[in-house]
């Protein structure tokens, strides 16, 4: 099955700096890579996703890059703000039999300091 | 659209009791996924169901755990004879009939076993 590794496990940045979180996956058949943000005690919320036919996707201060050859993908947050502080999870999946099963990374605790 | 609804939000059980967690997917979604999140850990896939069918239960413990998604009513995750190690947040997610990859998560059910 799929295995997703995520680094770093914790990340502290100053407000206004950029933050980068990296993930690698093992299954070359995976074709969908979402990123979820989870605040303490809350549900995971999708912030951005990318599919295997695209190398980069951007949404305001958030961008994701995908390197299918190397089987890794990254989340980039620019101009970080205190409200960006949360745990971020990457995930990977392939389309299987009419549905989807996400395999998650272990999470990155991002802390944006004033 | 009320989103993915889970109840109860919090459940306390004593060792040996049964826990039943319910999940109503978003309107129009027929794919339901259950994930477990231990304290300060990532999301672990448990089971994927469509109406009246278990599609993938590769993440379910072999004993004491079961899941169903009947033709009418919510999906139910049932844990029999709970033990302290079952204490966790259980998240349900749903995806559209089309089998698209985007998963929308519910707010979770937090089980505490005394």
């Amino acid at each position: 099955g799929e295995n997703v590794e995520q680094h770093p496990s914790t990340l502290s940045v100053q407000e206004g700096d950029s933050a980068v979180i990296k993930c690698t996956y093992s299954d070359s058949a995976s074709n969908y890579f979402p990123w979820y943000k989870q605040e303490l005690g809350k549900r995971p919320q999708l912030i951005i996703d990318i599919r295997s036919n695209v190398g980069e996707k951007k949404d305001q201060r958030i961008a994701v890059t995908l390197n299918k050859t190397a089987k890794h993908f990254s989340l980039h947050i620019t101009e970080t703000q205190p409200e960006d502080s949360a745990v971020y999870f990457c995930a990977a999946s392939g389309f299987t039999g009419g549905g989807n099963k996400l395999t998650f990374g272990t999470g990155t605790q991002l802390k944006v300091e004033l | 659209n009320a989103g993915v609804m889970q109840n109860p939000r919090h459940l306390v059980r004593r060792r040996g009791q049964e826990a039943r967690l319910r999940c109503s997917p978003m309107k129009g979604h027929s794919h339901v996924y259950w994930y477990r999140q231990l304290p300060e850990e990532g999301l672990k896939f448990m089971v994927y169901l469509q109406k009246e069918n278990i599609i993938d239960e590769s993440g379910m413990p072999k004993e004491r755990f079961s899941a169903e998604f009947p033709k009418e009513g919510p999906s139910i995750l049932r844990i029999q004879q709970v033990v302290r190690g079952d204490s966790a947040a259980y998240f349900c997610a749903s995806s559209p009939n089309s089998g698209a990859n985007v998963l929308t998560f519910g707010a979770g059910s937090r089980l505490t076993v005394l």
Side-chain angles (χ1 to χ4, degrees):
Chain A
E2 177 65 276
N3 181 50
V4 177
E5 295 190 357
Q6 183 172 348
H7 301 280
S9 57
T10 59
L11 179 60
S12 289
V13 298
Q14 294 294 121
E15 182 180 8
D17 287 350
S18 294
V20 180
I21 302 171
K22 298 182 179 182
C23 289
T24 60
Y25 62 99
S26 61
D27 188 351
S28 57
S30 289
N31 59 10
Y32 175 65
F33 308 91
W35 287 86
Y36 284 82
K37 175 183 180 182
Q38 187 178 32
E39 297 177 354
L40 188 62
K42 302 282 184 66
R43 76 187 73 195
Q45 292 196 303
L46 179 72
I47 56 171
I48 195 167
D49 56 11
I50 191 167
R51 299 181 189 273
S52 58
N53 58 345
V54 175
E56 184 174 356
K57 184 177 178 181
K58 189 173 181 180
D59 182 5
Q60 300 183 339
R61 297 186 296 108
I62 296 173
V64 57
T65 58
L66 171 65
N67 183 328
K68 284 215 71 179
T69 302
K71 290 191 282 190
H72 65 70
F73 56 113
S74 300
L75 177 71
H76 304 253
I77 306 174
T78 58
E79 301 173 23
T80 53
Q81 301 168 2
E83 51 265 39
D84 294 330
S85 296
V87 179
Y88 292 80
F89 292 98
C90 62
S93 83
F95 184 84
T96 56
N100 175 45
K101 169 184 157 183
L102 290 177
T103 299
F104 283 85
T106 49
T108 296
Q109 174 76 61
L110 173 64
K111 184 177 181 181
V112 180
E113 298 175 334
L114 297 171
Chain B
N1 193 330
V4 179
M5 303 300 293
Q6 288 190 248
N7 68 84
R9 292 292 312 278
H10 300 276
L11 182 63
V12 179
R13 285 288 179 265
R14 296 190 181 279
R15 282 179 295 171
Q17 292 184 319
E18 178 180 290
R20 286 195 180 213
L21 310 177
R22 290 175 290 278
C23 169
S24 296
M26 285 182 70
K27 186 176 181 180
H29 287 194
S30 62
H31 305 258
V32 167
Y33 308 79
W34 286 93
Y35 284 81
R36 176 164 63 175
Q37 187 174 37
L38 294 169
E40 300 187 10
E41 292 192 11
L43 294 144
K44 300 293 186 185
F45 169 79
M46 299 183 75
V47 62
Y48 158 44
L49 311 101
Q50 294 181 30
K51 285 283 187 181
E52 300 184 280
N53 281 303
I54 297 174
I55 306 303
D56 183 343
E57 56 181 347
S58 58
M60 288 280 272
K62 299 300 181 189
E63 298 178 343
R64 303 188 298 108
F65 285 72
S66 62
E68 62 176 3
F69 190 13
K71 186 177 180 180
E72 302 291 337
S75 174
I76 296 174
L77 179 67
R78 181 185 180 200
I79 311 172
Q80 294 178 290
Q81 300 173 342
V82 296
V83 301
R84 290 210 173 117
D86 297 332
S87 296
Y90 292 83
F91 287 96
C92 170
S94 70
S95 67
N97 295 331
S98 63
N101 304 103
V102 177
L103 295 191
T104 301
F105 281 85
S109 292
R110 281 158 181 80
L111 172 65
T112 301
V113 180
L114 301 177

